[in-house]
Amino acid sequence: MWRERKGEKGKEGQRNIKQLLLHKPLPGIKPTTWVLLNIHDNEVIVGIALTEESLHRRNITHFGPTTLRSTLAYGMLRLCAPQPSDIIVDPMCGTGAIPIEGATEWSNCFHIAGDNNPLAVNRAANNISSLLTKSQIKEGKLSWGLPIDAIQWDICNLPLRTGSVDIIVTDMPFGKRMGSKKRNWNLYPACLWEMSRICKPGTGRAALLTQDKKCFTKALSGMEHVWRKVHTVWVNIGGLHAAVYLLNRTPQAFVHPSGQDKEELLSAKND
């Protein structure tokens, strides 16, 4: 058995953990079981590897500059507890990691992938095509397809009916490799407002990933009448301390803003 420690608990805590675990295998002996131990403050999470290869790139063949790990995409979807016939949308899909993971694991739902970048939409479409081919090879016959589609759109003006979406799961721009911190101050409020429009009042939910926590918190604070924060899950994205915000859509019906308010909300489009 092999051990791997992550996180910090202090030297004394590490010594205690070391005494509880088996010693490293002798040189030349391949470990048969991998145990992953994460220590964060007073919380300890123990995991056992079930596969020899990492699953973080499963189902993805065309990568972009900020492709989300498939394992994290699955976790975000699971937080929303998808139900049969749910409409699940990723309005900023990038290479499509989230909706592709959704179509694989929750095939009784319909998944829509969208992005304003034509290159990203093209990568997502190629990943969907590769997944379909893989599925046909595995089953040994032609498939009717997958419950997923990709489209290019404007996140601030989505071509979807008001209150038509059950779940929104997306990886928002951190303002580092994609976009900018300055632009996020206009983009985040506009995104959250448009998401509240398409999400079903009372039953809709969202899982939104971002590293720009200050900007997101500020944007969310002005929309408590349409979004209610249920939980926050902290995650490590390539060394960046990010968060997944789980939101519930309140029963408040969506009210279209006045002309002036709408211009302010959509100002991110022209920045």
Side-chain angles (χ1 to χ4, degrees), residues 1-5 18 21-27 29 31:
M1 180 178 288
W2 188 261
R3 64 181 181 274
E4 187 173 64
R5 296 197 300 272
K18 185 176 181 180
L21 295 176
L22 297 178
H23 293 289
K24 291 183 179 180
L26 296 174
I29 299 179

Side-chain angles (χ1 to χ4, degrees), residues 55-162:
L55 299 177
H56 75 278
R57 291 187 176 183
R58 62 178 181 239
N59 302 325
I60 301 296
T61 56
H62 295 73
F63 294 85
T66 59
T67 300
L68 188 68
R69 288 173 175 262
S70 298
T71 45
L72 179 54
Y74 172 84
M76 292 173 65
L77 284 158
R78 187 175 180 182
L79 283 174
C80 294
Q83 300 300 311
S85 78
D86 275 353
I87 305 297
I88 306 177
V89 172
D90 182 354
M92 293 177 278
C93 71
T95 55
I98 293 174
I100 286 174
E101 195 67 22
T104 303
E105 301 296 332
W106 288 274
S107 58
N108 53 5
C109 301
F110 188 76
H111 307 265
I112 304 176
D115 203 287
N116 71 331
N117 188 330
L119 293 178
V121 176
N122 186 55
R123 293 190 189 103
N126 286 332
N127 282 324
I128 294 171
S129 178
S130 297
L131 181 61
L132 180 59
T133 301
K134 178 181 176 182
S135 175
Q136 291 174 343
I137 293 175
K138 182 178 180 180
E139 296 179 3
K141 60 181 180 180
L142 292 177
S143 171
W144 286 102
L146 296 168
I148 184 174
D149 205 352
I151 184 174
Q152 183 179 351
W153 58 26
D154 178 3
I155 176 59
C156 300
N157 189 23
L158 298 173
L160 299 171
R161 290 198 303 258
T162 299

Side-chain angles (χ1 to χ4, degrees), residues 50-262:
L50 300 179
T51 60
E52 293 185 358
E53 297 182 1
S54 174
L55 299 177
H56 75 278
R57 291 187 176 183
R58 62 178 181 239
N59 302 325
I60 301 296
T61 56
H62 295 73
F63 294 85
T66 59
T67 300
L68 188 68
R69 288 173 175 262
S70 298
T71 45
L72 179 54
Y74 172 84
M76 292 173 65
L77 284 158
R78 187 175 180 182
L79 283 174
C80 294
Q83 300 300 311
S85 78
D86 275 353
I87 305 297
I88 306 177
V89 172
D90 182 354
M92 293 177 278
C93 71
T95 55
I98 293 174
I100 286 174
E101 195 67 22
T104 303
E105 301 296 332
W106 288 274
S107 58
N108 53 5
C109 301
F110 188 76
H111 307 265
I112 304 176
D115 203 287
N116 71 331
N117 188 330
L119 293 178
V121 176
N122 186 55
R123 293 190 189 103
N126 286 332
N127 282 324
I128 294 171
S129 178
S130 297
L131 181 61
L132 180 59
T133 301
K134 178 181 176 182
S135 175
Q136 291 174 343
I137 293 175
K138 182 178 180 180
E139 296 179 3
K141 60 181 180 180
L142 292 177
S143 171
W144 286 102
L146 296 168
I148 184 174
D149 205 352
I151 184 174
Q152 183 179 351
W153 58 26
D154 178 3
I155 176 59
C156 300
N157 189 23
L158 298 173
L160 299 171
R161 290 198 303 258
T162 299
S164 62
V165 174
D166 297 286
I167 297 175
I168 298 173
V169 183
T170 196
D171 175 10
M172 303 181 75
F174 290 8
K176 292 183 178 293
R177 292 184 182 179
M178 298 295 292
S180 67
K181 294 279 189 178
K182 181 179 179 181
R183 187 171 184 268
N184 283 351
W185 286 98
N186 288 326
L187 179 63
Y188 278 24
C191 291
L192 285 172
W193 186 256
E194 183 66 358
M195 290 179 193
S196 73
R197 181 187 69 80
I198 66 172
C199 203
K200 290 182 179 179
T203 59
R205 54 257 192 226
L208 309 178
L209 169 66
T210 180
Q211 190 264 339
D212 198 347
K213 300 179 287 293
K214 181 178 179 181
C215 180
F216 184 88
T217 302
K218 176 65 176 178
L220 188 62
S221 65
M223 300 187 186
E224 295 178 347
H225 60 296
V226 290
W227 288 117
R228 181 174 65 87
K229 186 175 73 170
V230 178
H231 189 51
T232 303
V233 179
W234 305 107
V235 294
N236 187 308
I237 309 291
L240 298 176
H241 188 238
V244 177
Y245 294 93
L246 184 61
L247 310 178
N248 279 352
R249 180 66 168 84
T250 68
Q252 176 72 44
F254 180 84
V255 178
H256 287 274
S258 63
Q260 182 178 354
D261 292 339
K262 187 174 183 179

